[in-house]
Amino acid sequence: QLVESGGGSVQTGGSLTLSCKASEYLYSGTCVGWFRQTPGKEREGVATIYIGDSSTYYTESVKGRFTISRDIDKNTVSLEMNSLKSEDTAKYYCAADFGSNGYCYIDLSTQYTAWGQGTQVTVS
């Protein structure tokens, strides 16, 4: 089970940090991704992290603004979002693949078998 938190409303240029708490231990062979979706649009991969070596990948539109990281002690993965834009407005979902071979595909949401309920981020 994955539970997201940290969403909310923020002004353009502001910051938010989302957290994803996992009930199952995030061992080294796990990929965790953050995805987002707005009504009428397909779900978009935002950032991924491979727990084994902390390698990360970002979609182009968030590079330099968002940072995905892990906290093993808290068994969480966070998404720090800075310089937020109106186009970042979406419902953000955390997802995990607990049996990864090390490749965390940002554009393949079907890789991820565990999903949270999502948290809304609104930038205005």
Side-chain angles (χ1 to χ4, degrees):
Q1 181 182 8
L2 302 174
V3 179
E4 304 96 335
S5 62
S9 296
V10 65
Q11 292 185 337
T12 300
S15 300
L16 282 175
T17 297
L18 307 182
S19 291
C20 174
K21 174 72 173 176
S23 59
E24 184 172 339
Y25 181 67
L26 297 174
Y27 72 102
S28 61
T30 303
C31 282
V32 178
W34 283 97
F35 295 79
R36 64 187 179 187
Q37 190 170 23
T38 54
K41 292 188 177 181
E42 291 188 0
R43 190 167 293 182
E44 175 191 26
V46 177
T48 64
I49 186 167
Y50 181 60
I51 300 300
D53 60 9
S54 295
S55 58
T56 58
Y57 190 82
Y58 300 90
T59 193
E60 193 64 34
S61 63
V62 308
K63 284 181 180 178
R65 300 189 298 122
F66 290 12
T67 303
I68 188 171
S69 62
R70 60 171 186 164
D71 186 328
I72 294 301
D73 291 338
K74 295 181 180 179
N75 209 41
T76 61
V77 170
S78 296
L79 183 69
E80 180 182 350
M81 306 184 295
N82 298 310
S83 302
L84 283 162
K85 305 175 181 180
S86 58
E87 51 262 45
D88 295 318
T89 295
K91 193 165 188 178
Y92 284 70
Y93 298 87
C94 173
D97 170 11
F98 292 101
S100 172
N101 59 3
Y103 293 96
C104 303
Y105 295 100
I106 200 169
D107 57 355
L108 188 65
S109 62
T110 54
Q111 174 184 0
Y112 303 84
T113 55
W115 289 81
Q117 293 300 306
T119 185
Q120 179 68 36
V121 171
T122 302
V123 185
S124 60

PDB file of all heavy atoms in Angstrom, residues 103-124:
ATOM      1  N   TYR A 103      15.559  -1.180 -14.175  1.00  0.00           N
ATOM      2  CA  TYR A 103      15.119  -0.193 -15.153  1.00  0.00           C
ATOM      3  C   TYR A 103      13.764   0.356 -14.706  1.00  0.00           C
ATOM      4  O   TYR A 103      12.774  -0.378 -14.668  1.00  0.00           O
ATOM      5  CB  TYR A 103      15.014  -0.811 -16.540  1.00  0.00           C
ATOM      6  CG  TYR A 103      16.357  -1.209 -17.113  1.00  0.00           C
ATOM      7  CD1 TYR A 103      16.816  -2.518 -16.993  1.00  0.00           C
ATOM      8  CD2 TYR A 103      17.165  -0.274 -17.735  1.00  0.00           C
ATOM      9  CE1 TYR A 103      18.047  -2.883 -17.492  1.00  0.00           C
ATOM     10  CE2 TYR A 103      18.400  -0.636 -18.241  1.00  0.00           C
ATOM     11  CZ  TYR A 103      18.838  -1.939 -18.110  1.00  0.00           C
ATOM     12  OH  TYR A 103      20.073  -2.304 -18.598  1.00  0.00           O
ATOM     13  N   CYS A 104      13.743   1.631 -14.386  1.00  0.00           N
ATOM     14  CA  CYS A 104      12.525   2.289 -13.926  1.00  0.00           C
ATOM     15  C   CYS A 104      12.036   3.181 -15.057  1.00  0.00           C
ATOM     16  O   CYS A 104      12.504   4.317 -15.208  1.00  0.00           O
ATOM     17  CB  CYS A 104      12.800   3.118 -12.673  1.00  0.00           C
ATOM     18  SG  CYS A 104      13.509   2.178 -11.306  1.00  0.00           S
ATOM     19  N   TYR A 105      11.120   2.659 -15.823  1.00  0.00           N
ATOM     20  CA  TYR A 105      10.656   3.375 -17.009  1.00  0.00           C
ATOM     21  C   TYR A 105       9.650   4.443 -16.620  1.00  0.00           C
ATOM     22  O   TYR A 105       8.630   4.150 -16.004  1.00  0.00           O
ATOM     23  CB  TYR A 105      10.056   2.394 -18.006  1.00  0.00           C
ATOM     24  CG  TYR A 105      11.070   1.422 -18.552  1.00  0.00           C
ATOM     25  CD1 TYR A 105      11.174   0.129 -18.057  1.00  0.00           C
ATOM     26  CD2 TYR A 105      11.938   1.804 -19.570  1.00  0.00           C
ATOM     27  CE1 TYR A 105      12.109  -0.761 -18.557  1.00  0.00           C
ATOM     28  CE2 TYR A 105      12.885   0.923 -20.074  1.00  0.00           C
ATOM     29  CZ  TYR A 105      12.962  -0.355 -19.555  1.00  0.00           C
ATOM     30  OH  TYR A 105      13.901  -1.229 -20.042  1.00  0.00           O
ATOM     31  N   ILE A 106       9.922   5.655 -17.033  1.00  0.00           N
ATOM     32  CA  ILE A 106       9.049   6.770 -16.688  1.00  0.00           C
ATOM     33  C   ILE A 106       7.851   6.839 -17.604  1.00  0.00           C
ATOM     34  O   ILE A 106       6.822   7.421 -17.274  1.00  0.00           O
ATOM     35  CB  ILE A 106       9.836   8.098 -16.705  1.00  0.00           C
ATOM     36  CG1 ILE A 106       9.110   9.171 -15.901  1.00  0.00           C
ATOM     37  CG2 ILE A 106      10.080   8.561 -18.139  1.00  0.00           C
ATOM     38  CD1 ILE A 106       9.932  10.402 -15.656  1.00  0.00           C
ATOM     39  N   ASP A 107       7.959   6.234 -18.764  1.00  0.00           N
ATOM     40  CA  ASP A 107       6.869   6.302 -19.743  1.00  0.00           C
ATOM     41  C   ASP A 107       6.123   4.983 -19.876  1.00  0.00           C
ATOM     42  O   ASP A 107       5.433   4.748 -20.860  1.00  0.00           O
ATOM     43  CB  ASP A 107       7.405   6.737 -21.102  1.00  0.00           C
ATOM     44  CG  ASP A 107       8.512   5.816 -21.604  1.00  0.00           C
ATOM     45  OD1 ASP A 107       8.922   4.897 -20.853  1.00  0.00           O
ATOM     46  OD2 ASP A 107       8.970   6.012 -22.743  1.00  0.00           O
ATOM     47  N   LEU A 108       6.263   4.133 -18.869  1.00  0.00           N
ATOM     48  CA  LEU A 108       5.595   2.843 -18.879  1.00  0.00           C
ATOM     49  C   LEU A 108       4.909   2.627 -17.547  1.00  0.00           C
ATOM     50  O   LEU A 108       5.414   1.953 -16.657  1.00  0.00           O
ATOM     51  CB  LEU A 108       6.607   1.726 -19.153  1.00  0.00           C
ATOM     52  CG  LEU A 108       6.025   0.324 -19.387  1.00  0.00           C
ATOM     53  CD1 LEU A 108       5.197   0.314 -20.659  1.00  0.00           C
ATOM     54  CD2 LEU A 108       7.155  -0.692 -19.479  1.00  0.00           C
ATOM     55  N   SER A 109       3.741   3.242 -17.397  1.00  0.00           N
ATOM     56  CA  SER A 109       3.033   3.168 -16.116  1.00  0.00           C
ATOM     57  C   SER A 109       2.614   1.738 -15.776  1.00  0.00           C
ATOM     58  O   SER A 109       2.463   1.411 -14.594  1.00  0.00           O
ATOM     59  CB  SER A 109       1.816   4.085 -16.121  1.00  0.00           C
ATOM     60  OG  SER A 109       0.893   3.681 -17.116  1.00  0.00           O
ATOM     61  N   THR A 110       2.477   0.879 -16.779  1.00  0.00           N
ATOM     62  CA  THR A 110       2.065  -0.505 -16.516  1.00  0.00           C
ATOM     63  C   THR A 110       3.149  -1.310 -15.802  1.00  0.00           C
ATOM     64  O   THR A 110       2.880  -2.383 -15.264  1.00  0.00           O
ATOM     65  CB  THR A 110       1.688  -1.211 -17.823  1.00  0.00           C
ATOM     66  OG1 THR A 110       2.775  -1.089 -18.752  1.00  0.00           O
ATOM     67  CG2 THR A 110       0.428  -0.610 -18.426  1.00  0.00           C
ATOM     68  N   GLN A 111       4.376  -0.782 -15.782  1.00  0.00           N
ATOM     69  CA  GLN A 111       5.447  -1.447 -15.029  1.00  0.00           C
ATOM     70  C   GLN A 111       5.133  -1.447 -13.534  1.00  0.00           C
ATOM     71  O   GLN A 111       5.544  -2.336 -12.794  1.00  0.00           O
ATOM     72  CB  GLN A 111       6.782  -0.733 -15.256  1.00  0.00           C
ATOM     73  CG  GLN A 111       7.918  -1.268 -14.390  1.00  0.00           C
ATOM     74  CD  GLN A 111       9.212  -0.495 -14.541  1.00  0.00           C
ATOM     75  OE1 GLN A 111       9.294   0.459 -15.304  1.00  0.00           O
ATOM     76  NE2 GLN A 111      10.231  -0.892 -13.798  1.00  0.00           N
ATOM     77  N   TYR A 112       4.402  -0.453 -13.104  1.00  0.00           N
ATOM     78  CA  TYR A 112       4.184  -0.219 -11.680  1.00  0.00           C
ATOM     79  C   TYR A 112       2.870  -0.862 -11.248  1.00  0.00           C
ATOM     80  O   TYR A 112       1.798  -0.527 -11.777  1.00  0.00           O
ATOM     81  CB  TYR A 112       4.197   1.277 -11.397  1.00  0.00           C
ATOM     82  CG  TYR A 112       5.488   1.911 -11.850  1.00  0.00           C
ATOM     83  CD1 TYR A 112       5.668   2.298 -13.166  1.00  0.00           C
ATOM     84  CD2 TYR A 112       6.554   2.057 -10.968  1.00  0.00           C
ATOM     85  CE1 TYR A 112       6.868   2.824 -13.600  1.00  0.00           C
ATOM     86  CE2 TYR A 112       7.755   2.600 -11.397  1.00  0.00           C
ATOM     87  CZ  TYR A 112       7.911   2.978 -12.706  1.00  0.00           C
ATOM     88  OH  TYR A 112       9.098   3.493 -13.128  1.00  0.00           O
ATOM     89  N   THR A 113       2.961  -1.776 -10.308  1.00  0.00           N
ATOM     90  CA  THR A 113       1.794  -2.575  -9.941  1.00  0.00           C
ATOM     91  C   THR A 113       1.112  -2.099  -8.663  1.00  0.00           C
ATOM     92  O   THR A 113      -0.002  -2.518  -8.365  1.00  0.00           O
ATOM     93  CB  THR A 113       2.204  -4.042  -9.765  1.00  0.00           C
ATOM     94  OG1 THR A 113       3.277  -4.125  -8.823  1.00  0.00           O
ATOM     95  CG2 THR A 113       2.672  -4.631 -11.097  1.00  0.00           C
ATOM     96  N   ALA A 114       1.767  -1.255  -7.914  1.00  0.00           N
ATOM     97  CA  ALA A 114       1.174  -0.712  -6.688  1.00  0.00           C
ATOM     98  C   ALA A 114       1.023   0.783  -6.858  1.00  0.00           C
ATOM     99  O   ALA A 114       1.982   1.466  -7.245  1.00  0.00           O
ATOM    100  CB  ALA A 114       2.050  -1.028  -5.483  1.00  0.00           C
ATOM    101  N   TRP A 115      -0.154   1.290  -6.541  1.00  0.00           N
ATOM    102  CA  TRP A 115      -0.447   2.710  -6.732  1.00  0.00           C
ATOM    103  C   TRP A 115      -1.125   3.280  -5.496  1.00  0.00           C
ATOM    104  O   TRP A 115      -1.914   2.594  -4.823  1.00  0.00           O
ATOM    105  CB  TRP A 115      -1.382   2.899  -7.933  1.00  0.00           C
ATOM    106  CG  TRP A 115      -0.738   2.633  -9.243  1.00  0.00           C
ATOM    107  CD1 TRP A 115      -0.525   1.414  -9.825  1.00  0.00           C
ATOM    108  CD2 TRP A 115      -0.184   3.601 -10.146  1.00  0.00           C
ATOM    109  NE1 TRP A 115       0.128   1.566 -11.025  1.00  0.00           N
ATOM    110  CE2 TRP A 115       0.341   2.898 -11.250  1.00  0.00           C
ATOM    111  CE3 TRP A 115      -0.082   4.997 -10.126  1.00  0.00           C
ATOM    112  CZ2 TRP A 115       0.964   3.541 -12.325  1.00  0.00           C
ATOM    113  CZ3 TRP A 115       0.524   5.629 -11.189  1.00  0.00           C
ATOM    114  CH2 TRP A 115       1.043   4.910 -12.282  1.00  0.00           C
ATOM    115  N   GLY A 116      -0.806   4.534  -5.232  1.00  0.00           N
ATOM    116  CA  GLY A 116      -1.510   5.242  -4.189  1.00  0.00           C
ATOM    117  C   GLY A 116      -2.785   5.863  -4.730  1.00  0.00           C
ATOM    118  O   GLY A 116      -3.104   5.742  -5.915  1.00  0.00           O
ATOM    119  N   GLN A 117      -3.486   6.544  -3.856  1.00  0.00           N
ATOM    120  CA  GLN A 117      -4.769   7.163  -4.215  1.00  0.00           C
ATOM    121  C   GLN A 117      -4.584   8.543  -4.838  1.00  0.00           C
ATOM    122  O   GLN A 117      -5.516   9.089  -5.424  1.00  0.00           O
ATOM    123  CB  GLN A 117      -5.661   7.263  -2.979  1.00  0.00           C
ATOM    124  CG  GLN A 117      -6.095   5.909  -2.457  1.00  0.00           C
ATOM    125  CD  GLN A 117      -6.880   5.122  -3.481  1.00  0.00           C
ATOM    126  OE1 GLN A 117      -7.870   5.584  -4.023  1.00  0.00           O
ATOM    127  NE2 GLN A 117      -6.423   3.904  -3.777  1.00  0.00           N
ATOM    128  N   GLY A 118      -3.416   9.107  -4.708  1.00  0.00           N
ATOM    129  CA  GLY A 118      -3.143  10.403  -5.316  1.00  0.00           C
ATOM    130  C   GLY A 118      -3.329  11.561  -4.368  1.00  0.00           C
ATOM    131  O   GLY A 118      -4.060  11.474  -3.377  1.00  0.00           O
ATOM    132  N   THR A 119      -2.646  12.647  -4.690  1.00  0.00           N
ATOM    133  CA  THR A 119      -2.777  13.880  -3.929  1.00  0.00           C
ATOM    134  C   THR A 119      -2.806  15.040  -4.923  1.00  0.00           C
ATOM    135  O   THR A 119      -2.028  15.069  -5.876  1.00  0.00           O
ATOM    136  CB  THR A 119      -1.636  14.023  -2.898  1.00  0.00           C
ATOM    137  OG1 THR A 119      -1.859  15.181  -2.093  1.00  0.00           O
ATOM    138  CG2 THR A 119      -0.266  14.123  -3.558  1.00  0.00           C
ATOM    139  N   GLN A 120      -3.692  15.979  -4.690  1.00  0.00           N
ATOM    140  CA  GLN A 120      -3.910  17.070  -5.638  1.00  0.00           C
ATOM    141  C   GLN A 120      -2.902  18.189  -5.413  1.00  0.00           C
ATOM    142  O   GLN A 120      -2.664  18.606  -4.276  1.00  0.00           O
ATOM    143  CB  GLN A 120      -5.328  17.614  -5.506  1.00  0.00           C
ATOM    144  CG  GLN A 120      -5.645  18.762  -6.431  1.00  0.00           C
ATOM    145  CD  GLN A 120      -5.688  18.348  -7.905  1.00  0.00           C
ATOM    146  OE1 GLN A 120      -6.124  17.242  -8.229  1.00  0.00           O
ATOM    147  NE2 GLN A 120      -5.233  19.238  -8.785  1.00  0.00           N
ATOM    148  N   VAL A 121      -2.348  18.661  -6.528  1.00  0.00           N
ATOM    149  CA  VAL A 121      -1.475  19.835  -6.515  1.00  0.00           C
ATOM    150  C   VAL A 121      -2.096  20.870  -7.444  1.00  0.00           C
ATOM    151  O   VAL A 121      -2.361  20.585  -8.607  1.00  0.00           O
ATOM    152  CB  VAL A 121      -0.053  19.479  -6.986  1.00  0.00           C
ATOM    153  CG1 VAL A 121       0.782  20.743  -7.171  1.00  0.00           C
ATOM    154  CG2 VAL A 121       0.613  18.534  -6.001  1.00  0.00           C
ATOM    155  N   THR A 122      -2.323  22.058  -6.899  1.00  0.00           N
ATOM    156  CA  THR A 122      -2.913  23.136  -7.686  1.00  0.00           C
ATOM    157  C   THR A 122      -1.994  24.349  -7.619  1.00  0.00           C
ATOM    158  O   THR A 122      -1.669  24.829  -6.534  1.00  0.00           O
ATOM    159  CB  THR A 122      -4.297  23.508  -7.161  1.00  0.00           C
ATOM    160  OG1 THR A 122      -5.141  22.345  -7.183  1.00  0.00           O
ATOM    161  CG2 THR A 122      -4.922  24.592  -8.018  1.00  0.00           C
ATOM    162  N   VAL A 123      -1.580  24.820  -8.785  1.00  0.00           N
ATOM    163  CA  VAL A 123      -0.684  25.976  -8.882  1.00  0.00           C
ATOM    164  C   VAL A 123      -1.431  27.084  -9.620  1.00  0.00           C
ATOM    165  O   VAL A 123      -1.911  26.884 -10.735  1.00  0.00           O
ATOM    166  CB  VAL A 123       0.605  25.610  -9.629  1.00  0.00           C
ATOM    167  CG1 VAL A 123       1.571  26.802  -9.610  1.00  0.00           C
ATOM    168  CG2 VAL A 123       1.261  24.383  -9.025  1.00  0.00           C
ATOM    169  N   SER A 124      -1.534  28.241  -8.982  1.00  0.00           N
ATOM    170  CA  SER A 124      -2.270  29.338  -9.612  1.00  0.00           C
ATOM    171  C   SER A 124      -1.595  30.677  -9.365  1.00  0.00           C
ATOM    172  O   SER A 124      -0.676  30.751  -8.533  1.00  0.00           O
ATOM    173  CB  SER A 124      -3.703  29.360  -9.104  1.00  0.00           C
ATOM    174  OG  SER A 124      -3.713  29.549  -7.705  1.00  0.00           O
TER     175      SER A 124
END
